[in-house]
Each structure stands twice: as structure tokens, then as C-alpha cells.
Amino acid sequence: KKAHMAYLSPFSYVLAAQKKDIKPLVVVGQNQEPTMYYSVIFASRKSGITSIDQLIQQSKQLTLSFSDPASASGHLIPFAHLNSIGINPDSNFKQIVFGGSHITTVLSVTSNKVDIGCSTEPTFDVLLKRGTIKESDFTILWKSDPIIASPICIRNDLNSAFVEKMKQIYLNLHIDNPAVFKSYIEIFHKNPSELTFIPIDDSLYNGIRKIANSVKDVALLKNF
């Protein structure tokens, strides 16, 4: 059976929406503006890399971990940035791996199994809060421009009344069931009391599409 709804990362949404089968419904926001997060490129303590210039100079001796292939912050955006500074990740590193998740990628670098990682800033916030990692375990080399948060999406072929009902459930969740809303939001946000779900339009993900179009050699982007 096909799922009616899904929570997708921005890049996953853009990939899935190529056939116009789905649309974004809501996203976490503040004051009716979508929340933003950041992609980061970071280095292990053991690597000794403390700047992007050192990364460029020593890339042939370094291992690099992306997160999920369909991740904006853990793959698409750092891939595009590395390309923009003259590094092709597919050929300019000693080895490229995919961690499969942001947490796995961060831990593989902070445990010195991989030299360089690409992930999302909120993942560090969560792991630092838990005490799983320490600030001394890694060095942030680069931070992206803001990325619009991940949308909750819905199929385009569903009854419009059902779609509107689901939208209203999310929009009112912080009022109707604040405990559920808080437990969900505080996983990745430090200020749950200031946040709500807000409506989101597909056009706000055109920035991700533009970046995707700039790196067509990424296999997942062959249909762009």
C-alpha cells in the first residue's frame, strides 16, 4: 500500500516531488516563518584538519563520510560546496563512505574512524546535550547558508477535505495536544514553546532544486 503522508528531508522531498505526486503540507515554524537549520563539514580530532584550506591541500589523504544519499545537509549541499571550491568528492578523497544517518556519520568522525564528515548542525546539538560527544572531539570547518526545515508531505491525489483536515490537525497540535507536540519538537529544537506547525509551499524548496541542478554528476540527480 502507498503511504498517504511522509516526513521527508528537503532533498528527499525535492527528489520525490519530481513526478508531482506529492506536495508539502506543513513544516515547523516560528512567527509563521519556517525554521532553518545548517549543513556542516567537520573534521575529527585525529585528522589534525582545522580549516577548509587544509582540507583542500590534504584531501587525497583523507576519508570522507556523507550521511544519507538523499540528505540535503548530509550530502547535496556539502557536495555542492566542495565542488564550488575545486574538490570533486568522488575523486579527490582517499575514500568516500555513506554513514546512512546523521548520527552514524557524526559518531564515525568523533570516534576517529573517518577523517571528515558532512552532517547537520542539530545532530551535534542533540549528541552534545546527551553527552555522547564532546566539543573537543571535532572541528567545524564550514557551515552552510540556512536550509528550510523538513516538510511533512501528503499525496496529491487525496480528497481535498481530508487534506485540509490533516493540515488543521498539525496546525493546531501545539494547542490541542501540547505534550505530544513538545515531545516531538524538542528532539531537534531548543525552543519548543516558541514553535508551531505552519503551512508550507513547494516553491520554498526551489533553492534546493537550484543546488541540485548545479551538481548533476550526483547519481540521485539524473532526472533533474
Side-chain angles (χ1 to χ4, degrees):
K1 292 183 179 181
K2 292 183 178 180
H4 289 167
M5 301 177 67
Y7 173 73
L8 298 175
S9 73
F11 187 27
S12 295
Y13 165 69
V14 166
L15 289 169
Q18 290 181 93
K19 295 182 180 180
K20 312 297 183 184
D21 293 335
I22 64 172
K23 61 184 177 184
L25 188 68
V26 295
V27 70
V28 175
Q30 183 173 7
N31 299 323
Q32 294 306 304
E33 293 291 334
T35 54
M36 302 287 186
Y37 69 108
Y38 300 89
S39 171
V40 292
I41 299 175
F42 55 101
S44 69
R45 180 181 66 252
K46 183 180 179 181
S47 72
I49 302 297
T50 59
S51 70
I52 283 291
D53 285 342
Q54 285 183 312
L55 172 63
I56 294 171
Q57 295 164 7
Q58 301 181 41
S59 63
K60 287 287 188 180
Q61 287 76 49
L62 300 172
T63 54
L64 171 73
S65 177
F66 290 115
S67 298
D68 187 279
S71 168
S73 56
H75 183 210
L76 172 67
I77 289 174
F79 189 106
H81 177 69
L82 290 170
N83 264 350
S84 75
I85 60 175
I87 296 179
N88 181 346
D90 291 333
S91 59
N92 285 112
F93 285 92
K94 180 180 179 181
Q95 182 184 15
I96 296 292
V97 297
F98 281 92
S101 73
H102 288 290
I103 289 177
T104 301
T105 296
V106 171
L107 294 180
S108 68
V109 173
T110 56
S111 63
N112 298 307
K113 295 178 181 177
V114 178
D115 297 315
I116 307 296
C118 303
S119 187
T120 176
E121 189 178 56
T123 304
F124 285 94
D125 293 338
V126 170
L127 294 176
L128 286 167
K129 182 179 178 181
R130 294 176 183 172
T132 307
I133 62 174
K134 304 185 298 294
E135 293 277 2
S136 59
D137 291 336
F138 61 93
T139 301
I140 300 293
L141 306 177
W142 172 82
K143 182 176 175 178
S144 72
D145 291 334
I147 307 165
I148 292 180
S150 301
I152 292 175
C153 307
I154 195 162
R155 281 168 42 190
N156 276 327
D157 61 351
L158 297 176
N159 179 278
S160 60
F162 173 78
V163 172
E164 183 60 28
K165 181 177 180 180
M166 294 307 302
K167 179 186 287 188
Q168 292 305 316
I169 287 173
Y170 279 104
L171 296 182
N172 296 323
L173 185 59
H174 66 291
I175 298 171
D176 296 339
N177 202 327
V180 169
F181 178 79
K182 181 181 179 182
S183 65
Y184 169 76
I185 294 299
E186 66 184 1
I187 296 173
F188 288 111
H189 297 278
K190 300 175 182 178
N191 56 336
S193 63
E194 301 172 21
L195 304 174
T196 66
F197 281 110
I198 65 170
I200 188 72
D201 186 77
D202 173 85
S203 64
L204 292 180
Y205 293 95
N206 285 342
I208 296 292
R209 292 186 173 97
K210 184 177 179 179
I211 294 171
N213 277 315
S214 75
V215 285
K216 286 183 178 293
D217 50 335
V218 176
L220 283 172
L221 304 175
K222 60 185 179 180
N223 293 323
F224 275 87

